[in-house]
Amino acid sequence: MESISPPIGVKFVASSVKEPSCTIGFSGSVPPRLRNFDRICKSNRVFTETKSPAIDFSDPDWKTKYQKDFERRFDIPHLTDVFEHLVPIPSTFCLRSRTPASEDFADGYPSDEKWHGYINNNDKVLLKTIHYSSPTSAGAECIDPSCTWVEQWVHRAGPREKIYFKPEEVKAAIVTCGGLCPGLNDVIRQIVITLEIYGVKDIIGIPFGYRGFYDEGRHEMPLSRKVIQNIHLAGGSLLGVSRGGPDVSDIVNNMEERGINMLFVLGGNGTHAGANAIHNECRKRRMRVAVVGVPKTIDNDILLMDKTFGFDTAVEEAQRAINSAYIEAHSAFRGIGIVKLMGRSSGFIAMHASLASGQVDVCLIPEVPFYLHGPHGVLNHLKCLLESKGSAVVCLAEGAGQNLLEKTNATDPSGNIILGDIGVHIQLETKKYFKEIGFPADVKYIDPTYMIRACRANAADGILCAVLGQNAVHGAFAGYSGITVGTCNTHYVYLPIPEVISYPKQVDLNSRMWHRCLTSTGQPDFV
């Protein structure tokens, strides 16, 4: 049966017309003007004005069909899908007995049957928790125009009572791909520790992302508790990172040669697409391999997740840059501080950092188009701010305002379009504007991009990384593959990789969080 479900981000959103304002106060608590709605929708896939044509709401059974289709799509892959006669064994993971696994497991696998620390395979977590009464409610996520409540359940993560790998037969590999992110070492550390608790002794790290499966001279790194004990005290990745890599078939060939049957992949959307391809290739070759992803993106742009690790640390570190920009601007005559943060296609860091600081007057994100010039432009609003309060602070995401820059077709090794530097562009345009109108302004520009992502994870991210690493191992031993682990409504869940990588998650312009940011900054619509 073909999928009848609309994309996860489909929403029915109402908007209203607001007149422009040159005052500091926010011009309304709603998304930008209705006459610009079409343009905003095209740049923000979270929004749509029409329901998915694939669902026939005139069918009295549409809700039941939708739920069944959702269950089918979110039914996570398992080794028994290919190896039907695979027999599970009692788990070697039991914290109550704390009995170390013996060398030969001659007496079977230690498991306390009365221990209630295991997760039932049928345990589920509710994906959506709010029953919206109307599609006009802030943040409403509706499947049909009437906002019908439809239960959507996903698999709960955690240790299972039965496992599908004998620990002494496991060779586990860990690989970190893409760019750096706070918490990488924390996840690596917890994966190794949890594997050892299960009884695994053969654990390796693949150096420098997927390249490590192919580049000559890149030797695998043996991992153990002794090696990883204190790596979480530093930023970066013990294994190194890189973008791009060899073909999937070459990676799987290398895995076969090394005898790897558990692969833990830490990365973002592109890395997860690679992990899913590896999973599919292993299935095609009938290899009994578990491939499990751990979503790593400082931008927090992976679908369905409450948040990804490194995000809280990034927001916290961004406070230093924003505070510096505020001090520079506030201490100067007609001072303007501009801070550029990470966020290629999603403005979560800029939004949360602006809200947390309380010092930002203008927050610019990729999801919201804006004009620099004109009566409704950013520069005119900055002039109003200088006239009324004497200074201004601008916080923007790196992917914001790319339509204002000259486009190139250049891409990085991951296939991402190389963005123009919007921060430098706004800095230069701001200086030029105030010089031309004879209104002197002191402009300071701060770009803390790599300082933010290279630091050690804070306490909140450290906890998140620890649990994600543990649950990744639990998922692999439970026989799941082609999955990723994350948080959903504060609970840890397993999700099929294809459902979380279809497109980047973006800031919902109808959400309460974006409205809160606008209330904090007091900015008008720059369109």
Side-chain angles (χ1 to χ4, degrees):
M1 180 182 70
E2 296 184 357
S3 173
I4 65 169
S5 302
I8 291 299
V10 168
K11 304 177 190 297
F12 295 88
V13 183
S15 184
S16 59
V17 177
K18 291 288 175 183
E19 290 302 318
S21 172
C22 187
T23 61
I24 298 176
F26 172 49
S27 62
S29 59
V30 295
R33 298 172 182 77
L34 189 59
R35 58 187 169 87
N36 295 286
F37 188 74
D38 290 339
R39 182 158 58 89
I40 293 172
C41 290
K42 291 178 181 177
S43 66
N44 180 11
R45 295 186 60 182
V46 172
F47 284 83
T48 181
E49 290 184 278
T50 60
K51 62 181 179 292
S52 171
I55 303 179
D56 181 9
F57 294 118
S58 64
D59 184 349
D61 296 325
W62 76 263
K63 181 176 176 179
T64 301
K65 292 179 179 178
Y66 177 91
Q67 288 177 318
K68 288 182 178 180
D69 181 62
F70 182 89
E71 291 174 2
R72 177 189 62 79
R73 290 191 297 115
F74 282 80
D75 184 26
I76 52 181
H78 195 271
L79 291 176
T80 54
D81 297 340
V82 177
F83 304 95
E84 298 178 359
H85 303 295
L86 198 60
V87 178
I89 59 177
S91 177
T92 57
F93 180 87
C94 181
L95 296 180
R96 173 165 292 185
S97 64
R98 305 299 295 147
T99 303
S102 62
E103 290 288 340
D104 54 4
F105 298 94
D107 299 325
Y109 296 86
S111 178
D112 187 345
E113 297 295 334
K114 296 181 180 179
W115 187 56
H116 297 294
Y118 297 118
I119 299 296
N120 190 292
N121 285 333
N122 294 321
D123 283 357
K124 300 290 181 68
V125 173
L126 193 61
L127 185 64
K128 308 293 183 184
T129 57
I130 300 178
H131 184 179
Y132 291 100
S133 298
S134 167
T136 61
S137 294
E141 301 182 8
C142 301
I143 296 171
D144 70 328
S146 300
C147 247
T148 302
W149 171 254
V150 180
E151 294 182 1
Q152 300 174 24
W153 299 93
V154 292
H155 292 263
R156 185 184 178 199
R160 267 57 175 176
E161 191 172 359
K162 300 292 183 180
I163 59 177
Y164 287 82
F165 289 92
K166 293 182 178 180
E168 72 272 24
E169 296 176 356
V170 169
K171 181 171 185 178
I174 308 171
V175 61
T176 56
C177 306
L180 289 179
C181 179
L184 281 170
N185 283 334
D186 300 66
V187 178
I188 294 170
R189 180 175 182 271
Q190 283 298 326
I191 289 176
V192 172
I193 289 174
T194 310
L195 284 168
E196 288 195 348
I197 290 177
Y198 270 96
V200 178
K201 300 187 182 302
D202 195 354
I203 310 170
I204 63 169
I206 304 297
F208 300 106
Y210 288 134
R211 294 180 183 274
F213 284 105
Y214 189 74
D215 286 359
E216 294 182 3
R218 302 294 184 190
H219 301 293
E220 61 188 43
M221 179 186 297
L223 299 176
S224 64
R225 182 185 285 265
K226 183 177 180 180
V227 174
I228 53 84
Q229 185 61 42
N230 295 314
I231 63 172
H232 63 300
L233 302 179
S237 169
L238 172 70
L239 305 178
V241 295
S242 73
R243 300 187 184 277
D247 293 336
V248 172
S249 59
D250 293 329
I251 293 176
V252 177
N253 288 339
N254 190 274
M255 290 174 60
E256 278 191 290
E257 293 174 6
R258 301 190 196 209
I260 296 172
N261 54 5
M262 276 191 191
L263 178 63
F264 300 96
V265 181
L266 284 60
N269 282 299
T271 300
H272 271 67
N276 193 58
I278 293 171
H279 157 73
N280 289 331
E281 182 67 16
C282 289
R283 279 196 158 197
K284 180 180 177 181
R285 301 188 189 188
R286 294 187 62 82
M287 295 170 55
R288 193 157 70 91
V289 176
V291 181
V292 179
V294 181
K296 175 232 70 175
T297 167
I298 201 170
D299 295 342
N300 195 37
D301 62 351
I302 293 185
L303 290 173
L304 307 176
M305 310 285 180
D306 289 350
K307 64 181 175 181
T308 51
F309 74 82
F311 175 70
D312 275 350
T313 304
V315 171
E316 185 173 307
E317 287 296 313
Q319 301 306 300
R320 301 185 185 185
I322 292 174
N323 188 53
S324 296
Y326 171 79
I327 291 174
E328 287 285 351
H330 190 68
S331 302
F333 175 66
R334 293 176 181 167
I336 299 175
I338 302 173
V339 179
K340 186 187 77 172
L341 302 176
M342 298 187 75
R344 291 183 55 85
S345 59
S346 306
F348 289 102
I349 294 179
M351 176 178 69
H352 283 256
S354 297
L355 185 57
S357 72
Q359 297 171 317
V360 173
D361 300 291
V362 176
C363 177
L364 304 175
I365 60 176
E367 293 86 344
V368 182
F370 60 89
Y371 294 130
L372 279 179
H373 300 279
H376 307 302
V378 174
L379 297 177
N380 186 61
H381 181 61
L382 291 179
K383 180 175 179 293
C384 295
L385 290 170
L386 295 184
E387 290 174 338
S388 60
K389 56 179 288 191
S391 64
V393 176
V394 179
C395 178
L396 67 148
E398 61 181 325
Q402 290 298 306
N403 60 300
L404 305 176
L405 306 174
E406 183 178 351
K407 294 184 179 180
T408 67
N409 295 322
T411 59
D412 64 20
S414 295
N416 300 315
I417 295 176
I418 296 177
L419 301 176
D421 197 330
I422 186 63
V424 171
H425 178 75
I426 289 182
Q427 175 197 23
L428 296 176
E429 287 296 308
T430 302
K431 290 181 177 180
K432 179 181 177 182
Y433 170 79
F434 283 105
K435 181 178 181 180
E436 289 179 348
I437 66 174
F439 192 86
D442 190 345
V443 182
K444 297 295 193 298
Y445 175 58
I446 299 175
D447 182 353
T449 300
Y450 296 103
M451 295 175 63
I452 286 176
R453 77 176 195 174
C455 62
R456 171 188 174 185
N458 65 10
D461 272 327
I463 295 171
L464 177 60
C465 291
V467 184
L468 290 175
Q470 292 173 8
N471 280 324
V473 176
H474 295 321
F477 265 101
Y480 298 118
S481 181
I483 65 168
T484 191
V485 59
T487 56
C488 178
N489 291 318
T490 73
H491 295 280
Y492 291 86
V493 299
Y494 295 134
L495 297 165
I497 291 178
E499 293 297 330
V500 301
I501 64 171
S502 56
Y503 58 90
K505 181 176 71 173
Q506 294 184 305
V507 172
D508 179 357
L509 305 186
N510 188 48
S511 68
R512 288 295 300 126
M513 189 58 72
W514 177 241
H515 292 175
R516 291 166 186 141
C517 182
L518 295 179
T519 301
S520 175
T521 62
Q523 69 191 64
D525 304 328
F526 300 117
V527 289

